[in-house]
């Protein structure tokens, strides 16, 4: 590289540097470019370095070694913009020389570089001059604004006044004598000692570096330090210059933040000269206006934004305004402009409001079309915006709402109490949202409207009070509808009384009432024979009966709160704080008497009675409300079993009987499959031949756990359910098969008598089942006699008559069982295809001791014989009864005296005993 070129480069240095070069005799300029490491120098550099005539590469190497500390500090950004350093170097002859180097960081031809000078240091002075220089040096150190300290063998031996101030010490004594590590943060110590370890020669200077220092008061600061190897009282030491860069680094960080902010903010930031030419154009401006930075630079700002902008005028009116600019494609851009003055022009901040304005317009359109009321309330609690729906719902004009304070309006909760705090007030001062608070608002015209109110802060990040949006919906009609639905869900629509759900709630509330000491009485009421009214007169009449019954119960109790309809014809009455059973019984009787009063419906007088079960629920009762109603139901059924129209109290025995009933009913369903049912046969003696002429098949059940279960207990269970059909079919087929087999085995003309229940008479499949059983067994139809109780015939005479006629077609015999208990008439008997009747045992009990009983039996037999019906007497328990029956002309007899029911495999012995007893007079 030629000297002329280097001088040309030097000539282009900044004015200050050129003046400095002219003033210094033995000085040379240099520059270093960071991008590629190019090092240049001016004429005189070789002479200064004592290597005149040397190859340029040698000069480059020597100069590069001298400036390398400043280059590294500048690259690491650890040094200020300007640096100074004195460096030792050796001439080719081995003589030690020193050079003073100074540089500054700048940009040249768009490149980042260092430019500096190198000056030969002044040669040593004489002793006298040396003392004078030393004295001046000390004064310079003492007055240096940067902290200077000397440490030797790890301890501080000197600190200047600036160092005392920087370390916030009261005097140098707070610092001198202490280890230097006491004042250096732990994280900075490794790098500090590493740099000191390489400063082995006197005058060696460490590279500038940052370190965190600990002041005397414990606070911390960031410093830039340079250490020089020196001596102190003839021994090696280090002199350290400390410059507090805490504020500088903070400022640099702020500048970097601001630069990044300008680059990344969403607002256009445009710098202009005094005459309005664009000098800076950030990426957001490119995005908003559609021009790149290169396209915008140097052009008038009014041209690129397509609008007139006068920053000076704008500053006189507050510095902010709104305007319409244009995008590069011609589309409008709505902006808010802020202006500020700089040293060389103006800066404009343009916020794109296009989307917000569009959104606001759309929002306003949508809000105005909403059926929901919307209010915007400012920080002072005044309405600044109200949509038409809000005015309509609240009964105001829109202009009346603006400026009003909704927090002064009276609103009420669902109990009618004033709300202590308006929802908008709560949100305005706390920022917390309110969601669908239900309140009643009274309009100016006196009408009321129920509102579901929500409130939301529009400035949640700000401190209170907040701008608040309040929205509300008129729920007057939905609320009334919901109340109606709630009532329908908890009340019986027919009677208006509480339904089962509400009864359980009320009972639960009574049972769980704190401090309750008195029992609660629960009455379960069932209307007797209501089914007959409902089935015979229709549901309309039945519903009216239920409605009247509910009104009467309510009238006696004088409150809706104590009466409920459980379902069907069942009602529940709650009696609170009543422990006296006689008084509860008296109340139940009063309810019954009121219910039994005649009911006039459609000109017809109807009568109903009731069976009532009562449960007492003491304090602390562990039962659930469902358990209590179940027990009251059990007591009610007990009242029905006692003859209806009765009152019964619940006790544990009732529950046990019910549990047994339920268990047996379930077990009965599988009894046939498990082989638990079997047939016993009781002989029937012909009193004319004194021989057994027939046997009656009787169903028996041997339960695996309860043992023998009485027919009186399980037959009603079967009749109350559909089990009677399957069990009756099994009894019929089994009895027919067993007796057919027995007849064949002993060659006997033995007849079988089997019972039919009232439910079986309603089964249209019964005749076919009878025929199938006879065909399968081979038993002659005339050998089978089917017995129907007189009460079954009277239950539905028409149906019974049709079924008996159908059975007669198959050739079987038919008989009336338990005659005398069903109040049938002779005319009814004549219409039925009967072969015999069986006198109930209640007429036979006293026949040997009572003339009245004998006369009654005589009348029955005379009536039966008059219509060609055979007569069978059941319940013969002794020889006297048998003798009277034979004397009166009875045809057949049956009873324990003649033989008990026995299994088929023991039937032969039983028949033999019956034959023997029949002939004894």
């Amino acid at each position: 590289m030629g000297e002329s070129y280097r001088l040309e480069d030097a000539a282009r240095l900044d004015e200050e540097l050129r003046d400095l070069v002219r003033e210094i005799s033995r000085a040379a300029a240099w520059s270093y470019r960071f991008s590629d490491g190019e090092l240049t120098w001016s004429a005189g550099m070789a002479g200064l370095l004592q290597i005149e005539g040397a190859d340029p590469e040698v000069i480059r190497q020597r100069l590069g070694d001298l400036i390398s500390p400043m280059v590294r500090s500048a690259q690491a950004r650890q040094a200020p913009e300007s640096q100074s350093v004195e460096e030792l170097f050796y001439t080719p002859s081995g003589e030690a020389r020193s050079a003073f180097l100074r540089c500054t960081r700048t940009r040249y031809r768009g490149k980042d570089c260092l430019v500096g000078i190198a000056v030969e240091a002044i040669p040593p002075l004489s002793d006298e001059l040396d003392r004078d220089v030393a004295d001046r040096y000390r004064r310079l150190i003492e007055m240096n604004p940067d902290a200077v300290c000397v440490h030797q063998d790890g301890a501080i031996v000197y600190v200047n006044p600036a160092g005392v101030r920087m370390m916030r010490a009261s005097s140098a004594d707070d610092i001198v004598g202490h280890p230097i590590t006491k004042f250096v943060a732990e994280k900075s110590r490794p790098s500090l000692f590493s740099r000191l370890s390489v400063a082995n020669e006197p005058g060696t200077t460490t590279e500038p570096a940052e370190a965190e220092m600990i002041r005397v008061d414990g606070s911390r600061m960031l410093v830039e330090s340079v250490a020089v190897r020196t001596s102190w009282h003839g021994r090696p030491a280090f002199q350290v210059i400390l410059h507090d860069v805490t504020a500088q680094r903070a400022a640099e960080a702020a500048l970097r933040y601001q630069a990044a902010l300008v680059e990344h903010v969403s607002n256009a930031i445009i710098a202009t000269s005094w005459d309005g030419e664009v000098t800076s154009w950030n990426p957001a401006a490119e995005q908003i206006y559609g021009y790149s930075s290169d396209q915008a630079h140097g052009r008038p700002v009014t041209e690129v934004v397509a609008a007139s902008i006068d920053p000076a005028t704008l500053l006189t009116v507050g510095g902010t305004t709104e305007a319409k600019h244009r995008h590069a494609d011609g589309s409008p851009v709505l902006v808010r402009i802020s202006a500020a003055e700089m040293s060389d022009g103006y800066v404009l901040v343009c916020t794109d409001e296009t989307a917000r304005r569009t959104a606001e317009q759309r929002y306003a359109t949508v809000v105005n079309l909403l059926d929901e009321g919307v209010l915007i309330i400012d920080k002072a609690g005044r309405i600044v915006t109200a949509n038409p729906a809000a005015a309509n719902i609240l009964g105001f004009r829109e202009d009346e709402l603006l400026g009003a304070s909704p927090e002064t309006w009276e609103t009420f909760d669902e109990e009618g109490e004033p709300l202590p705090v308006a929802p908008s007030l709560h949100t305005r001062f706390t920022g917390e949202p309110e969601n669908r608070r239900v309140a009643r608002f009274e309009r100016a015209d006196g009408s009321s409207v129920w509102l579901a109110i929500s409130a939301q802060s529009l400035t949640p990040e700000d401190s209170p009070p907040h701008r608040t949006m309040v929205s509300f919906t008129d729920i007057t009609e939905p609320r009334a509808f919901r109340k109606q639905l709630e009532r329908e869900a908890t009340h019986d629509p027919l009677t208006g009384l509480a339904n089962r759900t509400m009864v359980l709630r009320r009972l639960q509330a009574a049972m769980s009432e704190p401090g309750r000491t008195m029992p609660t009485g629960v009455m379960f009421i069932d209307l007797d024979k209501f089914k007959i009214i409902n089935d015979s007169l229709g549901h309309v009449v039945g519903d009216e009966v239920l409605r009247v019954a509910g009104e009467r119960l309510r009238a006696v109790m004088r409150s809706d709160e104590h009466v409920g309809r459980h379902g069907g014809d069942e009602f529940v009455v709650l009696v609170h704080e009543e422990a006296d059973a006689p008084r509860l019984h008296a109340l139940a009787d009063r309810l019954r008497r009121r219910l039994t009063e005649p009911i006039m419906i459609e000109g017809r007088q109807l009568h109903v009675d009731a069976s009532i079960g009562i449960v007492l629920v003491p304090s602390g009762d562990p039962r659930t409300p469902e358990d209590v109603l179940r027990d009251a139901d059990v007591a009610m059924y007990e009242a029905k079993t006692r003859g209806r129209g009765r009152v019964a109290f619940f006790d544990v025995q009732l529950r046990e009987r019910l549990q047994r009933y339920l268990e047996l009913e379930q077990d009965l369903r599988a009894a046939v499959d498990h082989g638990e049912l079997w047939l016993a046969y009781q002989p029937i003696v012909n009193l004319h031949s004194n021989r057994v002429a027939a046997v009656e098949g009787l169903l028996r059940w041997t339960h695996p756990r309860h043992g023998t279960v009485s027919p009186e207990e399980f037959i009603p269970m079967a009749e109350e359910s559909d089990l009677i059909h399957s069990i009756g079919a099994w009894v019929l087929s089994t009895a027919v098969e067993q007796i057919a087999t027995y007849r064949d085995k002993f060659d006997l003309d033995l007849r079988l008598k089997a019972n039919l229940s009232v439910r079986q008479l309603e089964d249209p499949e019964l005749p076919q089942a009878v025929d199938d059983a006879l065909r399968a067994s081979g038993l002659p139809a005339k050998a089978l006699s089917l017995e129907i109780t007189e009460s079954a015939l009277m239950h539905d005479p028409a149906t019974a008559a049709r079924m008996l006629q159908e059975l007669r077609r198959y050739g079987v015999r038919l008989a009336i069982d338990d005659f005398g208990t069903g109040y049938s008439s002779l005319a009814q008997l004549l219409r039925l295809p009967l072969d015999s009747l069986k006198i109930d045992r209640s007429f036979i009990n006293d026949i040997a001791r009572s003339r009245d009983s004998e006369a009654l039996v005589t009348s029955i037999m005379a009536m039966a014989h008059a219509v060609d019906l055979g007569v069978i007497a059941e319940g013969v328990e002794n020889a006297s009864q048998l003798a009277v029956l034979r004397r009166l002309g009875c045809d057949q007899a049956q009873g324990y005296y003649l033989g008990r029911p026995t299994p088929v495999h023991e039937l032969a012995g039983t028949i033999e005993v019956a034959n023997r007893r029949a002939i004894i007079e």
Side-chain angles (χ1 to χ4, degrees), residues 359-372:
E360 286 178 350
Q361 291 172 358
R362 291 176 180 172
Y363 168 79
T365 302
V366 171
V367 168
N368 286 337
L369 293 175
L370 287 176
D371 292 332
E372 183 178 16

Side-chain angles (χ1 to χ4, degrees), residues 128-174:
E128 182 180 351
L129 290 175
D130 187 38
R131 284 192 299 274
D132 183 54
V133 170
D135 184 56
R136 291 179 182 180
Y137 178 75
R138 280 194 298 272
R139 288 200 301 272
L140 181 62
I141 293 298
E142 292 290 325
M143 298 179 67
N144 196 325
D146 284 334
V148 179
C149 72
V150 178
H151 64 89
Q152 186 180 62
D153 298 331
I156 298 173
V157 295
Y158 170 79
V159 61
N160 71 341
V164 174
R165 291 191 300 271
M166 178 184 287
M167 297 302 291
R168 296 181 181 173
S170 59
S171 69
D173 294 338
D174 293 337

